Amino acid sequence: MRHHVILRVIAKLGIPFIVLFALYVQFHGDFGPGGGFQAGVIFGAAFILYALIFGLDNALEAAPMNVVVAFIAIGLLLFAGVGVAALLLGGNYLDYGALADDPVAGQHLGILLVELGVGITVAAVMIAVFFTFADRGR
Amino acid sequence: MLLAFLAVIALAIVRLRNLFGVVMLSGIYSLLMASIFVILDAVDVAFTEAAVGAGIATILMLGTLALTTSRERVPMHTPLLPLVVTFITGAMLIYGTWDMPAFGDAAAPPNRHVAPYYLERSLPETGVPNVVTAVLASYRGYDTLGELTVIFTAGIGVLLLLGRRRERGDGRATTRGSGA
Amino acid sequence: MEFLVGHYNYWIFVFLMMLGFYVVVARGNLVKKIVGLNIFQASVFLLYISIGKVLGGTAPIIVDGGGPATYSNPLPHVLILTAIVVGVATTALGLSLVVRINEAYGTIEEDEISGMDKEP
């Protein structure tokens, strides 16, 4: 799709906003509709759109495959790590109340971190799966 | 009304032999489902369904079609036995709906069990106004961790199945499937 | 009549589920089978969400000082939210299996694959 000028221009204009919207959904998910799962998928969709319009090679330059694969594990480890941190701070596993002095603040912090972990893993899995499918087709 | 649309599209998916059309229709199906979720007050779910079903799942299926074929052959055997099986199963399931609570009933057992606790306590206990987020991440944290592990495993599985073991060191270092 | 209005949504879900089931059982094309599985799965999602709906309720996002408003049940939303994303991940796994089968056999029709398996 290298020669479709309209597609290229619109994608270039749109992708930053898609990423911005994904971040908004990620961190505003406590107050409005949204959260890690949705944000991860939207974030992944931005990269997939980029790969569709500008070609897989350019997309792989923006998001190298080994980095994406590493992020799959990082998200899950962040989630599990929050649980371990709660354990070390004297609470039960995944009991975020122990993360801060005030249980409510701890809960809020824990939810934020856990959602971040969910978002990272979901986004990385979506990007990695699409890249492998696209790479296979060449 | 939207449910009727959904049924029509599902029928079209069953009838159509052009797989490209089938995939497109399943994308539309997902988008319709997302609007039904909005009507049923499940905004978070609608969000996810619109992004996943109409976006990523459709793209992945198109990618598969590009790697395989986009025509479905006419099956050799008659579909009589599957039809009978589905009719019997469907009749039994519909018989089962007789005992279901009526649509939108606030006094139905699923809406009286733990849901009122979540709705009342989640804001004071977690400080998060979106109850869905609070339940997802806090009250059912183990569940979500498990689901995330499933996604992780599925992603690793795809990488192992389709990842190209490339020995040429061309700097991009694509996935190296070690298991296969 | 009241019974009809209260239950017709379940019947549509059963219809959708059986359509998906039929595709999975009767069609030989593997991609079509996966689409059928997705329809089947979607009917379960709709069933859960419609059970959680409370007539006159709103989305379960508590507004400040909103008073005792009625909210729909958030628990099915949580279950289905995760199930959708897990569903797409497992769909991707299934599709990658289809791609590998196509590479090994040159076809994605079930009949032809089992025919090839019978030949030595």
Side-chain angles (χ1 to χ4, degrees):
Chain A
M1 288 196 202
R2 240 152 262 263
H3 46 271
H4 286 80
V5 178
I6 297 179
L7 278 180
R8 289 172 67 94
V9 171
I10 296 295
K12 236 176 204 163
L13 278 176
I15 285 170
F17 290 103
I18 296 177
V19 173
L20 196 66
F21 182 62
L23 291 175
Y24 168 77
V25 169
Q26 172 79 56
F27 294 109
H28 199 260
D30 317 354
F31 304 101
F37 284 98
Q38 296 93 321
V41 172
I42 295 171
F43 201 82
F47 276 88
I48 289 174
L49 178 64
Y50 187 82
L52 279 175
I53 304 285
F54 297 99
L56 186 61
D57 290 321
N58 286 322
L60 278 173
E61 246 166 62
M65 199 62 190
N66 43 5
V67 175
V68 175
V69 173
F71 269 113
I72 295 181
I74 288 173
L76 189 61
L77 285 176
L78 180 60
F79 197 136
V82 171
V84 174
L87 206 60
L88 291 178
L89 289 169
N92 289 323
Y93 188 68
L94 289 178
D95 177 15
Y96 317 128
L99 288 177
D101 299 332
D102 177 21
V104 175
Q107 284 279 353
H108 207 145
L109 179 70
I111 287 176
L112 207 66
L113 286 174
V114 159
E115 291 274 4
L116 186 64
V118 170
I120 290 173
T121 293
V122 171
V125 165
M126 295 300 156
I127 296 170
V129 164
F130 176 77
F131 280 1
T132 38
F133 267 88
D135 195 44
R136 198 75 176 185
R138 293 196 297 191
Chain B
M1 189 64 214
L2 282 171
L3 284 173
F5 269 135
L6 212 57
V8 170
I9 289 178
L11 257 183
I13 289 176
V14 175
R15 303 280 311 165
L16 208 60
R17 295 220 175 271
N18 183 351
L19 289 176
F20 186 75
V22 167
V23 170
M24 282 298 141
L25 279 177
S26 75
I28 298 174
Y29 183 85
S30 288
L31 205 60
L32 261 179
M33 255 176 65
S35 33
I36 291 173
F37 286 149
V38 173
I39 295 172
L40 294 177
D41 295 341
V43 279
D44 287 272
V45 183
F47 218 141
T48 320
E49 179 65 37
V52 164
I56 302 218
T58 310
I59 286 178
L60 287 180
M61 293 221 182
L62 286 179
T64 313
L65 291 188
L67 293 175
T68 57
T69 171
S70 65
R71 288 296 303 181
E72 183 190 7
R73 298 216 182 83
V74 185
M76 281 176 264
H77 46 78
T78 53
L80 195 65
L81 181 64
L83 263 181
V84 172
V85 170
T86 40
F87 264 105
I88 293 175
T89 321
M92 275 156 62
L93 284 175
I94 285 188
Y95 175 68
T97 61
W98 253 246
D99 285 338
M100 294 291 279
F103 174 73
D105 185 4
N111 297 337
R112 278 190 317 198
H113 184 50
V114 284
Y117 174 84
Y118 288 149
L119 286 170
E120 275 173 28
R121 301 293 306 150
S122 74
L123 187 57
E125 277 182 7
T126 64
V128 171
N130 186 350
V131 185
V132 175
T133 304
V135 176
L136 180 92
S138 184
Y139 294 106
R140 297 187 65 89
Y142 275 109
D143 187 22
T144 309
L145 181 60
E147 307 262 14
L148 198 65
T149 316
V150 174
I151 295 169
F152 172 82
T153 316
I156 298 296
V158 172
L159 292 180
L160 284 178
L161 277 170
L162 290 187
R164 187 176 291 188
R165 267 160 298 159
R166 190 173 311 189
E167 300 308 326
R168 291 180 274 137
D170 52 0
R172 284 212 316 275
T174 50
T175 55
R176 288 173 213 282
S178 54
Chain C
M1 188 61 205
E2 205 174 308
F3 182 78
L4 191 75
V5 171
H7 287 74
Y8 79 96
N9 55 333
Y10 298 126
W11 300 336
I12 291 183
F13 303 154
V14 170
F15 176 69
L16 291 175
M17 182 183 256
M18 286 307 113
L19 279 181
F21 186 45
Y22 173 76
V23 171
V24 173
V25 175
R27 292 305 167 87
N29 188 295
L30 294 175
V31 174
K32 191 85 173 258
K33 269 183 199 285
I34 289 182
V35 175
L37 266 181
N38 277 343
I39 295 178
F40 192 102
Q41 193 183 21
S43 75
V44 179
F45 296 166
L46 285 165
L47 171 70
Y48 265 66
I49 298 293
S50 86
I51 287 177
K53 166 76 178 170
V54 174
L55 277 184
T58 58
I61 297 170
I62 295 167
V63 280
D64 290 333
T70 335
Y71 298 106
S72 284
N73 189 347
L75 192 58
H77 300 185
V78 175
L79 301 177
I80 297 311
L81 179 62
T82 51
I84 287 176
V85 184
V86 169
V88 77
T90 48
T91 300
L93 191 63
L95 288 172
S96 64
L97 279 173
V98 171
V99 170
R100 286 303 288 260
I101 287 173
N102 185 55
E103 282 172 6
Y105 288 88
T107 176
I108 52 169
E109 299 287 336
E110 204 182 42
D111 298 344
E112 297 172 15
I113 293 169
S114 51
M116 275 183 221
D117 274 345
K118 282 189 188 111
E119 293 164 11

